[in-house]
Amino acid sequence: MMKNKEKIDQVINKFIGKKGSLIPLLQEVQAIDKYLSKDAMRYVSEKAGFNLAQIYGVATFYTMFRLKPQGKHVIRVCKGTACHVSDANSILKAVRSDLHLADGEDTTKDKLFTVVEVACLGCCSLSPVIMIDDNTFGKLTPELIAGILKKYD
Amino acid sequence: MNVLIRVGLASCGLAAGAGEVQSAINAYLTRKKLKVPVRKTACIGMCFAEPLVEFVNDKNESITYGYVKPEKVGTIIDAYLAGKPLTENVVISNILEGAQNENYLSQERIVLRNCGKIDPEKIEDYLANKGYKALEKAITQMSPEEIIEEMKKSGLRGRGGAGFPTGLKWQFAHGAKSSKKYIICNADEGDPGAFMDRSVLEGDPHSIIEGMAICAYAIGSDEGYIYCRAEYPLAIKHLQIAIAEAKVKGYLGRKILGTDFNFTLHIKEGAGAFVCGEETALMASIEGQRGMPRIRPPFPAQSGLWEKPTNINNVETFANVAWIILNGADKYAKFGTEKSRGTKVFALAGKIKNSGLIEVPMGMPLRDVIYKVGGGMKTEKPFKAVQLGGPSGGCVPAELLDTIVDYDSITSTGAIMGSGGMVVMDTGTCMVDVAKFFLNFTQRESCGKCTFCRIGTKRMLEILDRISKGKGKLEDLDTLKDLAENIIKGSLCGLGQTAPNPVLTTLRYFKDEYKAHIVDKKCPAGVCEALLTYEVITDKCIGCTACARKCPVKAISGEVKKPHLINPEKCIKCGVCYDVCKFSAIKKS
């Protein structure tokens, strides 16, 4: 049984017939569950009249689309140039080790956090920077990470 | 005396705690029953000193404090209202000695004219600063041809990086015959290390709308898109508010200012793909497809969005337009050099003291940008290189610091002007690592359409990775060059054509550093992990056993309270011992 059918229907109705609407449509569908499930993509394909290959093509092209469930909070670790020269790697290491993530994992077992690396958050003057949901934390050192993550539950 | 308090609430201000400072100010004023208006503004450019709070009176005497902490606001407000303003942490002021006064005055602010001064969420603030006067002049007193002529005369070149003359671009779109034309503002600022467009969008969104409306009138378009990356939520919010307000006031919509000119504007959020900064890929993305570039010709001016003639400019380019129309092309062309007129906004970041946003006249030497405006190096380590133009650009070394800022001079160094990201690096930065960093980025962001870009960047990255691990060969340097040349020739769009630049410039100016990695198996900057060695400094080690307990491969041995020893055969160079040692007793070299 497809989850959130009604909510997805609302999104489809909002965009149907409008040109160039596939990306914003998928963005809003993703906002419901925080990821695009196979079922959701199939459903959008049937209801909104997009070819499934086209939907999958768009969903895998843009980094904002996620095909796997994600944690309650998303931690974006900036790997931009300014952060890179300010040792963003040590920040990433600290985040991952504090959350006990094994190699290849990006979401904690309790589904509280998902860690992603991003190209640049545009807060270069405060490098190195991470963003948790919509909040940005700058001028970080590895020692500060545990204290920041502790505040989230 | 009427006093106003302004708090800088752009993304970097918020990240530095400006939200808490604003709440503290409001709470303090309420508690003390003081009637001082508190306004928000966006980025004034002194990001390094955030949070920033400005006090300004009706005589326009202003004092801006930096590094403001919530617990300090009471003291600052009391002293100011008592007529004895604190002199500590004054960043800019026109009545007091401010640490950045000289820096601020050496700038020429056209694009950033309103940033950090007005409340970007209030159209009244923009209108009070000659806002929409240029649009009024353009559509009621000028013909489209006159506007295009004025733009050509100003010498403005596209600020997105390529530097194509803006007036000429408009002329092509104007000349295209079609009942429907589009204009697009490229706000997909994807270069890592660049935040010029974000600051303008957050700080002065109406200047973009006004510039676009003038352009639409000039080329004969009635519909436009702003394509903004989704990583900039505050910029999108400010744009949405600005568009809604401009509609209410009649600067957007039907019959603008009583004329026959109609113009609607939409915002399109990007979904995370660097290649969408390329104009044809961007248009594919607006159309709802994968953002892959198309072959040119036809150029967008003939066949662009939905195959209609389309004019596409970058945020900074549009932000210049209203100023040029209002003040005249001649006044604009007085700034800059013969082939690069006007000013340029740069985002200073990296190992520089005054990181932030600046706007300087074209023609200023890089040395002045970095040492005068930027305040010089942040650390004690000396300057090594400045990276211009992001992943498409290159690293300019110390001996070329007298290069002036204009399109052609910077291109001659092998770097590019780009959109304006300037990341300063000191001797603690490894150039092989920097080249690897950018290649890793472009390789991941390549859309995959052109074989050379898709596979060539991958092969280059593999070679750089080998070199950084001490497994490179001298022949690799020739292979890198060869691949680079072929990728440039074999790629359809700017991403592939410029992707090898970071490698080519570092090879050109820092070849010895590559050789040190290959021949001596050493990373002179001490960055490439695989080439480092870790040793215990026996005088400093107190035998706390912390390193031995944390070492993942049990390479450290020793008795409690006696100096420890690292076995180089077993060591995997992970750096954990260095990180956990509280006595600085581990030497990394």
Side-chain angles (χ1 to χ4, degrees):
Chain A
M1 183 59 200
M2 176 67 203
K3 263 173 43 184
N4 296 317
K5 214 172 190 166
E6 283 166 20
K7 283 187 188 163
I8 296 179
D9 279 334
Q10 281 173 10
V11 175
I12 292 173
N13 288 335
K14 187 171 151 191
F15 287 104
I16 205 149
K18 288 190 185 160
K19 59 181 179 180
S21 61
L22 180 57
I23 294 170
L25 193 161
L26 290 180
Q27 278 169 333
E28 289 200 17
V29 171
Q30 169 161 289
I32 297 168
D33 245 349
K34 287 191 163 187
Y35 83 108
L36 291 172
S37 64
K38 262 187 202 168
D39 287 346
M41 284 191 277
R42 282 214 181 92
Y43 188 73
V44 171
S45 166
E46 284 162 23
K47 282 272 172 171
F50 290 102
N51 194 318
L52 189 57
Q54 193 187 351
I55 293 178
Y56 187 72
V58 164
T60 49
F61 186 84
Y62 296 98
T63 52
M64 277 187 77
F65 293 115
R66 288 184 56 89
L67 306 184
K68 279 192 294 186
Q70 73 179 3
K72 188 175 163 198
H73 303 290
V74 178
I75 306 176
R76 295 187 171 82
V77 180
C78 182
K79 298 291 290 283
T81 323
C83 290
H84 180 76
V85 300
S86 307
D87 206 6
N89 272 331
S90 69
I91 305 296
L92 179 67
K93 262 198 223 165
V95 170
R96 295 186 61 89
S97 93
D98 195 69
L99 299 177
H100 304 290
L101 288 174
D103 285 349
E105 273 180 1
D106 65 356
T107 302
T108 52
K109 298 216 164 52
D110 58 6
K111 299 269 183 289
L112 190 58
F113 291 106
T114 292
V115 180
V116 288
E117 295 173 35
V118 295
C120 186
L121 292 169
C123 289
C124 313
S125 49
L126 300 169
S127 60
V129 176
I130 64 170
M131 196 170 178
I132 304 181
D133 302 330
D134 281 338
N135 290 316
T136 313
F137 301 86
K139 295 188 180 168
L140 293 173
T141 57
E143 296 77 45
L144 292 172
I145 297 297
I148 294 172
L149 296 184
K150 220 185 281 167
K151 290 184 205 143
Y152 287 81
D153 50 30
Chain B
M1 187 172 63
N2 283 318
V3 182
L4 183 75
I5 299 178
R6 282 199 192 111
V7 188
L9 288 165
S11 288
C12 26
L14 288 170
E20 288 82 12
V21 169
Q22 186 196 27
S23 310
I25 293 174
N26 283 328
Y28 189 79
L29 294 174
T30 316
R31 203 165 68 233
K32 294 273 171 164
K33 298 199 172 65
L34 294 166
K35 285 210 164 56
V36 181
V38 180
R39 295 277 157 76
K40 61 176 281 191
T41 186
C43 182
I44 196 163
M46 309 283 168
C47 309
F48 64 96
E50 295 278 6
L52 294 161
V53 176
E54 182 188 10
F55 290 77
V56 58
N57 64 16
D58 43 12
K59 283 188 272 175
N60 205 24
E61 291 171 338
S62 137
I63 305 172
T64 302
Y65 292 98
Y67 316 98
V68 179
K69 294 205 160 57
E71 58 272 22
K72 288 282 278 182
V73 300
T75 328
I76 301 175
I77 294 173
D78 285 345
Y80 184 87
L81 294 179
K84 288 180 192 143
L86 299 185
T87 50
E88 202 186 334
N89 285 337
V90 175
V91 182
I92 323 162
S93 171
N94 53 12
I95 46 168
L96 290 179
E97 178 107 5
Q100 298 299 323
N101 280 359
E102 207 185 327
N103 164 6
Y104 192 79
L105 291 175
S106 62
Q107 297 187 41
E108 205 59 66
R109 293 166 81 92
I110 293 178
V111 170
L112 303 177
R113 57 194 182 272
N114 292 323
C115 284
K117 287 189 184 156
I118 65 168
D119 180 343
E121 293 184 33
K122 287 202 168 69
I123 194 169
E124 293 78 16
D125 273 24
Y126 184 67
L127 292 172
N129 289 282
K130 298 185 187 165
Y132 290 106
K133 287 274 175 246
L135 177 66
E136 195 181 320
K137 179 179 171 187
I139 63 176
T140 58
Q141 297 165 32
M142 295 171 85
S143 69
E145 291 78 9
E146 281 170 337
I147 294 172
I148 290 169
E149 207 41 53
E150 196 71 8
M151 293 307 293
K152 277 161 82 178
K153 222 164 71 180
S154 75
L156 176 65
R157 292 169 67 174
R159 297 291 192 247
F164 191 82
T166 306
L168 203 57
K169 204 174 199 180
W170 290 17
Q171 191 177 11
F172 292 148
H174 173 77
K177 295 219 173 358
S178 171
S179 56
K180 183 79 190 173
K181 292 180 190 175
Y182 291 101
I183 66 166
I184 299 173
C185 172
N186 184 348
D188 192 42
E189 182 174 56
D191 281 14
F195 51 94
M196 300 75 51
D197 295 350
R198 171 179 69 70
S199 301
V200 178
L201 293 164
E202 285 179 0
D204 196 12
H206 286 287
S207 70
I208 314 295
I209 298 173
E210 188 174 7
M212 289 183 78
I214 294 169
C215 170
Y217 171 75
I219 69 160
S221 156
D222 64 354
E223 195 172 357
Y225 287 89
I226 301 176
Y227 186 92
C228 185
R229 70 194 291 240
E231 287 87 342
Y232 290 171
L234 194 63
I236 292 172
K237 184 183 153 207
H238 285 182
L239 278 172
Q240 282 165 339
I241 295 171
I243 290 176
E245 285 193 311
K247 263 190 212 161
V248 171
K249 295 267 178 191
Y251 298 110
L252 284 177
R254 298 194 62 77
K255 300 218 171 279
I256 293 170
L257 298 170
T259 65
D260 284 331
F261 171 54
N262 307 323
F263 185 52
T264 356
L265 198 50
H266 315 277
I267 300 172
K268 274 274 172 180
E269 273 182 51
F274 174 68
V275 69
C276 289
E278 199 278 339
E279 56 185 19
T280 59
L282 187 154
M283 290 185 290
S285 179
I286 293 182
E287 290 171 4
Q289 303 164 26
R290 287 162 73 96
M292 289 165 110
R294 298 168 191 164
I295 204 157
R296 290 175 302 181
F299 287 92
Q302 292 115 38
S303 173
L305 189 61
W306 286 296
E307 292 167 9
K308 301 290 180 207
T310 303
N311 180 72
I312 175 163
N313 285 123
N314 144 284
V315 170
E316 193 184 330
T317 314
F318 278 128
N320 274 301
V321 172
W323 194 95
I324 293 172
I325 295 298
L326 211 55
N327 296 281
D330 292 335
K331 197 164 170 193
Y332 187 81
K334 277 199 185 116
F335 299 109
T337 59
E338 197 195 333
K339 286 186 177 163
S340 303
R341 302 284 186 194
T343 60
K344 178 79 194 86
V345 179
F346 288 103
L348 299 180
K351 303 290 172 70
I352 192 163
K353 210 182 265 169
N354 303 343
S355 56
L357 203 68
I358 56 150
E359 182 172 358
V360 295
M362 295 272 195
M364 190 183 261
L366 280 173
R367 188 184 300 283
D368 288 355
V369 176
I370 293 165
Y371 284 92
K372 279 194 185 151
V373 185
M377 303 303 288
K378 185 159 72 177
T379 56
E380 281 171 12
K381 288 184 184 162
F383 174 90
K384 185 169 182 178
V386 55
Q387 211 284 338
L388 299 171
S392 308
C395 294
V396 178
E399 60 267 28
L400 292 178
L401 268 184
D402 290 313
T403 308
I404 57 165
V405 171
D406 75 8
Y407 289 95
D408 311 284
S409 308
I410 291 187
T411 306
S412 71
T413 66
I416 61 162
M417 176 84 100
S419 52
M422 241 191 220
V423 182
V424 175
M425 295 162 182
D426 62 20
T427 48
T429 313
C430 167
M431 289 298 141
V432 178
D433 178 68
V434 167
K436 192 173 93 174
F437 166 78
F438 282 116
L439 249 288
N440 183 32
F441 178 82
T442 35
Q443 184 265 325
R444 261 191 307 182
E445 294 292 341
S446 169
C447 79
K449 187 167 185 165
C450 309
T451 316
F452 267 99
C453 176
R454 182 180 70 241
I455 302 174
T457 53
K458 178 104 180 145
R459 293 288 96 87
M460 285 181 81
L461 179 62
E462 285 164 0
I463 295 173
L464 289 168
D465 195 52
R466 263 204 319 265
I467 295 175
S468 74
K469 291 195 168 121
K471 292 179 182 157
K473 293 175 283 203
L474 278 173
E475 305 90 270
D476 283 342
L477 299 183
D478 298 324
T479 317
L480 276 177
K481 249 186 152 164
D482 192 44
L483 276 166
E485 279 158 16
N486 284 311
I487 293 169
I488 292 170
K489 275 188 238 158
S491 301
L492 198 57
C493 84
L495 190 150
Q497 287 161 4
T498 59
N501 282 353
V503 180
L504 290 173
T505 51
T506 47
L507 265 179
R508 182 162 155 193
Y509 300 119
F510 300 97
K511 201 163 192 175
D512 288 346
E513 202 166 335
Y514 278 87
K515 284 185 180 159
H517 284 74
I518 296 170
V519 181
D520 312 332
K521 315 283 177 211
K522 288 225 153 65
C523 173
V527 173
C528 297
E529 279 183 1
L531 299 179
L532 299 177
T533 51
Y534 290 90
E535 276 174 89
V536 175
I537 306 169
T538 37
D539 296 353
K540 286 191 179 172
C541 178
I542 62 149
C544 74
T545 73
C547 58
R549 276 182 283 126
K550 289 278 180 178
C551 176
V553 289
K554 308 268 172 254
I556 305 178
S557 55
E559 286 173 41
V560 182
K561 294 189 182 168
K562 288 196 178 146
H564 281 46
L565 193 70
I566 300 174
N567 180 353
E569 305 280 302
K570 279 190 180 174
C571 176
I572 55 163
K573 295 154 186 180
C574 66
V576 166
C577 53
Y578 183 84
D579 293 338
V580 297
C581 181
K582 292 193 175 116
F583 307 95
S584 310
I586 307 279
K587 192 172 126 196
K588 180 162 88 167
S589 58

